[in-house]
Amino acid sequence: MIKKIALVAALTAALTMNVQATEDKVAEASSFIGVINMPLIMNDIPQAKTSKDALQKEFGPRQAELQKLETDGKALQQTLPTLKGDQLVETQRKLAQMQADFNLKMRALQEDQQKRVREEEVKLGKMVQEAIDAISKERGLQLVVRGEAVVFATKAVDISGEVIKRVSKQNDKAPAKK
């Protein structure tokens, strides 16, 4: 009976040490791994709002011009049923020209906006990457992965908040309008 109790105690101690060693290995490994939530970071840094506002200010007048052109075109189109003869043909031509101008200006605006948005994303991405690099170096992280690709991660390895704080401190270096 005493031998059985001693055997059970020895097995329990061995299993406990094995579990503790495994937990230590997991804790040690997790201290070298960081996880970031990039959409959260890009949404929460103040430079993103500043960038968005600058882009809105930059492209707002052109968007307003397109809206006015569209409104004028719709108003002109509503007059078509009341027109006859040369006046109808002239108005249709004017409407076709307005539609062509609208399409050309819309394409140019979209292309310019996409280009500027990419430029701003690159600037913000560089700032975020610099913060991630600095945090990784300070904490001795060997691997940082995007949280969107991770099935589970504890708060202990999530460095998103730290990245947001670090980038927010660089607010004086916010991306400026070209």
Side-chain angles (χ1 to χ4, degrees), residues 24-35:
D24 290 344
K25 287 179 183 175
V26 169
E28 184 180 315
S30 70
S31 67
F32 296 112
I33 298 172
V35 176

Side-chain angles (χ1 to χ4, degrees), residues 89-104:
V89 172
E90 185 179 318
T91 304
Q92 287 173 331
R93 286 182 183 155
K94 184 175 181 182
L95 191 58
Q97 182 61 47
M98 286 175 77
Q99 182 66 44
D101 288 347
F102 177 84
N103 289 340
L104 181 65

Side-chain angles (χ1 to χ4, degrees), residues 74-119:
K74 285 180 180 179
L76 191 60
Q77 193 172 24
Q78 290 177 349
T79 65
L80 287 177
T82 63
L83 303 175
K84 298 199 188 295
D86 289 342
Q87 197 176 21
L88 176 63
V89 172
E90 185 179 318
T91 304
Q92 287 173 331
R93 286 182 183 155
K94 184 175 181 182
L95 191 58
Q97 182 61 47
M98 286 175 77
Q99 182 66 44
D101 288 347
F102 177 84
N103 289 340
L104 181 65
K105 289 178 180 185
M106 175 63 93
R107 265 193 311 270
L109 175 63
Q110 288 173 339
E111 289 171 1
D112 292 346
Q113 278 181 319
Q114 287 173 353
K115 179 183 176 205
R116 287 288 293 123
V117 166
R118 280 191 302 270
E119 289 172 355

Side-chain angles (χ1 to χ4, degrees), residues 65-80:
E65 179 187 358
L66 281 173
Q67 288 174 341
K68 183 181 180 332
L69 193 58
E70 182 179 29
T71 302
D72 292 348
K74 285 180 180 179
L76 191 60
Q77 193 172 24
Q78 290 177 349
T79 65
L80 287 177

Side-chain angles (χ1 to χ4, degrees), residues 58 115-116 119-120 123 176-178:
E58 182 177 341
K115 179 183 176 205
R116 287 288 293 123
E119 289 172 355
E120 292 299 312
K123 287 179 188 177
K177 184 179 126 183
K178 278 191 166 181

Side-chain angles (χ1 to χ4, degrees), residues 33-178:
I33 298 172
V35 176
I36 58 166
N37 182 336
M38 191 59 87
L40 173 74
I41 293 168
M42 295 305 275
N43 185 55
D44 285 3
I45 57 175
Q47 291 89 335
K49 183 180 182 334
T50 302
S51 176
K52 183 179 176 184
D53 292 346
L55 289 171
Q56 180 60 36
K57 188 175 179 179
E58 182 177 341
F59 292 107
R62 288 173 64 185
Q63 289 171 334
E65 179 187 358
L66 281 173
Q67 288 174 341
K68 183 181 180 332
L69 193 58
E70 182 179 29
T71 302
D72 292 348
K74 285 180 180 179
L76 191 60
Q77 193 172 24
Q78 290 177 349
T79 65
L80 287 177
T82 63
L83 303 175
K84 298 199 188 295
D86 289 342
Q87 197 176 21
L88 176 63
V89 172
E90 185 179 318
T91 304
Q92 287 173 331
R93 286 182 183 155
K94 184 175 181 182
L95 191 58
Q97 182 61 47
M98 286 175 77
Q99 182 66 44
D101 288 347
F102 177 84
N103 289 340
L104 181 65
K105 289 178 180 185
M106 175 63 93
R107 265 193 311 270
L109 175 63
Q110 288 173 339
E111 289 171 1
D112 292 346
Q113 278 181 319
Q114 287 173 353
K115 179 183 176 205
R116 287 288 293 123
V117 166
R118 280 191 302 270
E119 289 172 355
E120 292 299 312
E121 285 174 348
V122 166
K123 287 179 188 177
L124 293 173
K126 285 180 182 178
M127 293 174 76
V128 168
Q129 187 61 51
E130 288 172 3
I132 292 169
D133 292 346
I135 292 166
S136 298
K137 187 176 180 182
E138 290 167 10
R139 292 176 83 183
L141 300 178
Q142 294 180 1
L143 175 67
V144 176
V145 293
R146 290 181 65 136
E148 304 89 90
V150 175
V151 177
F152 173 78
T154 64
K155 292 282 185 197
V157 297
D158 188 352
I159 62 170
S160 301
E162 209 173 327
V163 171
I164 292 169
K165 287 178 189 173
R166 181 84 47 115
V167 174
S168 296
K169 288 180 182 177
Q170 298 176 5
N171 206 14
D172 57 329
K173 299 179 185 177
K177 184 179 126 183
K178 278 191 166 181

